[in-house]
C-alpha cells in the first residue's frame, strides 16, 4: 500500500513517527512517505530517504492552523493549507493518509470527498484538549479558555468518530476514544534502540541522570534544589530554553558544572553512553493532567538500559514500577522524598543492581516496540483488503 504520514508539529526525525511507525511499515513492504513542516525543528530540509521511507516537507502556515487570536488570518491560511494538502494528495495518491495532529484533521472531510478511496487514520498522541488548555487560558483567560477547551474536545472527538481508524497510546485514551470509534488500537511508544548496559551498577561512579525536555514542570528545578545533598552528581540532557538555562545557572552558580552538569541535547548514541554510566534514571515530573495518564518513554528507556528509576507516583507509573520492582516512586512535590529515593539507590548498589535487572526483564518481556509493532501491522492489514 501507499501510505502518507502527515504531521505539522513533529520533527523530520521524530522517533515515534519516523523511526518506529514509518520504518516498521516500510520494512513490511509498504510505500511510505513522511511529510512534516519545513518550519518545524528539522535537521535537513531536503527530501531524504531513510530505511526506504521518503521524507518530504510542506510549507503550511502553522499560525493559521493553531488556535490563536488571529482569527481572520487563521481562516485565510486554513483555506490555503487545504489547497496545499489536496495537492499533496494528488501528487502522492495514497491508499492511506495517516494524520498525526488535531491541527490537520480539519481537512478530513474535503479529502474524503475528493479522494473517497483513501482511508484516513487519526493518530492521537495526546489528550489534545488537556494539552491545549494551559495555552488557551493564558491567551484568553480562564473563563473563555475553559470554553474553548470544550470546543477543542468536541472537534477532536468529532474527528475521532469520522476517521476510518484511530491509533492512540495509553489505556486512558483508549477507553476515552472507544466511545467514539470502534476501529481503535492502542500502540504504546515503547523503546527499541536502547543498548543494554554491560557493566554492573556497583562499578559506576555516583551519577544520576535525567534525559528529556528540561523544564520546571518536568521537575528540573526540584532536582537542582536538592543537588547539594545528593550523594553524587546529577547529569541533565535535553532541550532547554535559554531563559530557563540562565535562570538555573544564576540560581545554582556555586554548584553548576560540579553537582549539576548540563550536557545539552544528545543524539541516540550519546544518550546510550549517558545511560551506561548512570546509577539512577530520573523521571520525576510534576502533576499535569496530560502527563498523569501517559506512558513516559524515558521510564522505559531507563529500564531497557538497565538502570533503576526514581519516578513520580502517578498511578499508571507506580503500577508499572511496583509490578516490575525496578525503582522507587515518589511524590514529585516532596523534595525530601525525591532526595531520599535517589540516595537510597546510590548508597545501596545491591538494591540498585537488583532493580536494574528487573527493569531489563520487564522491557524484554512486556514493554518493547516489537510487541507494539505487531499490533500496528495487524491494524493496518484490515485496510489491504478494502
Amino acid at each position: 500500500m501507499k501510505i502518507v504520514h502527515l504531521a505539522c508539529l513533529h520533527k523530520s526525525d521524530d522517533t515515534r513517527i519516523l523511526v518506529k511507525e514509518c520504518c516498521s511499515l516500510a520494512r513490511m513492504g509498504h510505500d511510505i512517505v513522511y511529510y512534516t513542516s519545513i518550519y518545524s525543528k528539522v535537521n535537513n530540509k531536503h527530501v531524504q530517504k531513510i530505511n526506504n521511507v521518503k521524507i518530504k516537507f510542506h510549507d503550511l502556515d502553522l499560525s493559521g492552523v493553531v488556535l490563536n487570536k488571529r482569527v481572520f488570518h487563521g481562516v485565510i491560511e486554513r483555506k490555503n493549507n487545504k489547497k496545499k494538502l489536496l495537492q499533496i494528495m494528488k501528487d502522492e495518491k495514497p491508499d492511506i493518509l495517516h494524520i498525526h495532529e488535531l491541527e490537520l484533521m480539519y481537512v478530513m472531510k474535503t479529502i474524503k470527498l475528493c479522494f473517497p478511496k483513501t482511508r484516513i487514520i487519526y493518530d492521537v498522541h495526546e489528550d489534545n484538549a488537556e494539552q491545549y488548555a494551559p495555552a488557551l487560558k493564558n491567551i484568553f483567560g480562564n473563563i473563555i479558555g475553559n470554553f474553548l477547551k470544550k470546543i477543542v474536545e468536541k472537534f477532536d472527538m468529532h474527528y475521532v468518530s469520522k476517521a476510518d481508524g484511530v491509533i492512540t497510546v495509553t489505556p486512558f485514551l483508549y477507553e476515552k476514544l472507544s466511545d467514539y470509534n470502534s476501529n481503535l488500537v492502542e500502540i504504546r511508544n515503547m523503546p527499541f534502540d536502547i543498548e543494554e548496559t554491560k557493566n554492573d551498577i556497583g562499578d559506576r561512579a555516583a551519577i544520576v541522570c535525567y534525559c528529556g525536555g528540561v523544564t520546571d514542570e518536568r521537575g528540573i528545578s526540584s532536582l537542582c534544589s536538592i543537588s547539594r545533598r545528593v550523594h553524587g552528581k546529577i547529569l541533565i540532557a535535553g532541550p532547554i530554553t535559554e531563559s530557563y538555562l540562565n535562570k538555573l545557572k544564576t540560581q545554582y552558580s556555586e554548584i553548576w558544572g560540579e553537582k549539576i552538569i548540563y550536557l545539552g541535547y544528545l543524539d541516540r548514541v550519546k544518550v546510550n553512553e549517558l545511560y551506561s554510566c548512570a546509577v539512577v534514571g530520573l523521571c520525576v515530573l510534576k502533576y499535569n493532567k496530560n502527563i498523569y495518564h501517559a506512558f513516559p518513554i524515558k521510564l522505559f528507556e531507563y529500564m531497557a538500559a538497565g538502570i533503576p528509576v526514581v519516578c513520580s507516583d502517578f498511578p499508571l507509573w507506580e503500577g508499572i514500577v511496583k509490578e516490575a520492582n525496578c525503582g522507587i516512586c515518589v511524590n514529585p512535590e516532596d523534595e525530601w522524598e525525591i532526595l531520599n529515593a535517589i540516595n537510597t539507590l546510590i548508597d545501596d548498589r545491591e538494591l540498585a543492581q537488583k532493580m536494574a535487572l528487573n527493569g531489563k526483564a520487564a522491557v524484554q518481556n512486556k514493554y518493547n516496540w516489537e510487541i507494539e509493532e505487531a499490533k500496528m501491522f495487524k491494524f493496518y492489514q484490515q485496510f489491504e483488503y478494502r
Side-chain angles (χ1 to χ4, degrees):
M1 292 188 296
K2 175 72 174 287
I3 303 168
V4 168
H5 281 249
L6 180 65
C8 64
L9 301 174
H10 288 83
K11 296 188 295 183
S12 62
D13 59 351
D14 183 86
T15 302
R16 173 175 165 80
I17 298 175
L18 174 64
V19 184
K20 294 179 183 176
E21 293 181 330
C22 290
C23 289
S24 292
L25 290 167
R27 196 164 58 252
M28 290 296 292
H30 298 296
D31 183 3
I32 309 296
V33 184
Y34 171 35
Y35 273 90
T36 191
S37 172
I38 200 167
Y39 304 114
S40 65
K41 296 177 181 178
V42 296
N43 296 329
N44 191 329
K45 295 181 180 179
H46 301 289
V47 176
Q48 304 173 50
K49 191 171 184 178
I50 299 175
N51 295 333
N52 291 321
V53 176
K54 302 182 198 71
I55 302 172
K56 299 183 181 180
F57 300 96
H58 57 69
D59 62 347
L60 305 184
D61 188 330
L62 300 187
S63 64
V65 174
V66 180
L67 285 172
N68 53 56
K69 286 185 174 180
R70 301 171 66 192
V71 178
F72 181 70
H73 173 83
V75 170
I76 293 175
E77 288 308 321
R78 278 171 179 260
K79 289 184 178 180
N80 291 336
N81 289 344
K82 190 177 292 186
K83 292 179 182 177
K84 293 175 182 178
L85 287 171
L86 288 176
Q87 187 59 52
I88 289 174
M89 293 294 295
K90 290 176 183 177
D91 293 341
E92 301 294 346
K93 299 180 178 62
D95 298 298
I96 294 177
L97 178 63
H98 188 138
I99 300 178
H100 287 273
E101 282 125 350
L102 166 63
E103 291 84 354
L104 296 174
M105 286 299 291
Y106 71 94
V107 303
M108 181 171 60
K109 183 177 180 181
T110 302
I111 289 173
K112 281 182 170 290
L113 287 172
C114 298
F115 303 91
K117 292 184 179 180
T118 298
R119 298 293 179 251
I120 296 179
I121 293 175
Y122 182 16
D123 201 326
V124 184
H125 297 230
E126 311 277 354
D127 188 327
N128 290 305
E130 290 295 345
Q131 186 179 36
Y132 261 124
L136 290 173
K137 292 177 183 178
N138 184 51
I139 295 172
F140 299 99
N142 285 335
I143 296 176
I144 297 178
N146 281 324
F147 174 72
L148 291 175
K149 174 190 169 184
K150 293 178 181 179
I151 292 179
V152 171
E153 177 79 8
K154 183 176 180 180
F155 273 102
D156 199 18
M157 293 307 103
H158 170 74
Y159 296 139
V160 167
S161 69
K162 297 300 181 181
D164 295 296
V166 177
I167 293 174
T168 194
V169 292
T170 66
F172 171 78
L173 284 173
Y174 183 90
E175 184 177 352
K176 175 180 177 180
L177 302 183
S178 63
D179 290 336
Y180 299 89
N181 195 314
S182 59
N183 192 21
L184 174 70
V185 65
E186 179 189 331
I187 299 175
R188 303 174 180 182
N189 192 17
M190 293 296 164
F192 78 107
D193 63 345
I194 299 301
E195 295 179 3
E196 180 181 334
T197 55
K198 304 302 181 184
N199 56 322
D200 289 342
I201 294 291
D203 298 329
R204 301 180 190 179
I207 291 173
V208 298
C209 73
Y210 167 83
C211 188
V214 184
T215 64
D216 177 66
E217 73 171 6
R218 291 178 178 267
I220 303 305
S221 296
S222 296
L223 295 179
C224 290
S225 177
I226 66 173
S227 60
R228 289 181 177 86
R229 292 167 288 166
V230 170
H231 298 165
K233 297 180 179 181
I234 299 177
L235 273 57
I236 298 171
I240 188 173
T241 63
E242 187 174 350
S243 60
Y244 187 51
L245 178 59
N246 290 334
K247 177 182 177 181
L248 293 177
K249 282 182 176 180
T250 301
Q251 188 170 353
Y252 301 99
S253 58
E254 293 181 3
I255 55 174
W256 192 265
E258 295 181 11
K259 294 289 287 185
I260 309 165
I261 301 173
Y262 175 61
L263 303 174
Y265 178 81
L266 304 181
D267 61 21
R268 301 308 297 173
V269 173
K270 293 295 184 182
V271 166
N272 281 317
E273 289 177 0
L274 172 61
Y275 292 163
S276 70
C277 69
V279 176
V280 182
L282 302 173
C283 192
V284 189
L285 281 62
K286 294 184 178 180
Y287 174 79
N288 173 293
K289 284 187 177 180
N290 211 9
I291 294 172
Y292 189 76
H293 297 292
F295 285 114
I297 182 62
K298 293 304 172 186
L299 172 64
F300 298 109
E301 287 190 357
Y302 297 148
M303 292 166 63
I307 49 178
V309 302
V310 172
C311 73
S312 304
D313 60 357
F314 304 154
L316 180 63
W317 303 13
E318 191 168 26
I320 294 166
V321 171
K322 285 190 173 182
E323 180 185 44
N325 189 23
C326 63
I328 301 173
C329 298
V330 297
N331 179 347
E333 303 294 340
D334 188 332
E335 292 185 357
W336 175 254
E337 199 171 326
I338 299 168
L339 176 67
N340 186 56
I342 292 172
N343 285 340
T344 294
L345 293 172
I346 290 176
D347 296 342
D348 189 343
R349 297 301 179 90
E350 186 176 342
L351 174 63
Q353 184 66 47
K354 178 182 177 181
M355 288 183 166
L357 294 174
N358 289 341
K360 283 196 289 188
V363 168
Q364 290 167 359
N365 296 325
K366 188 174 182 180
Y367 303 113
N368 60 73
W369 176 244
E370 286 74 18
I371 293 173
E372 305 307 311
E373 183 183 59
K375 288 157 60 178
M376 184 178 68
F377 291 158
K378 183 177 180 181
F379 183 73
Y380 259 93
Q381 280 177 354
Q382 66 182 294
F383 298 105
E384 293 188 51
Y385 307 106
R386 290 191 178 184

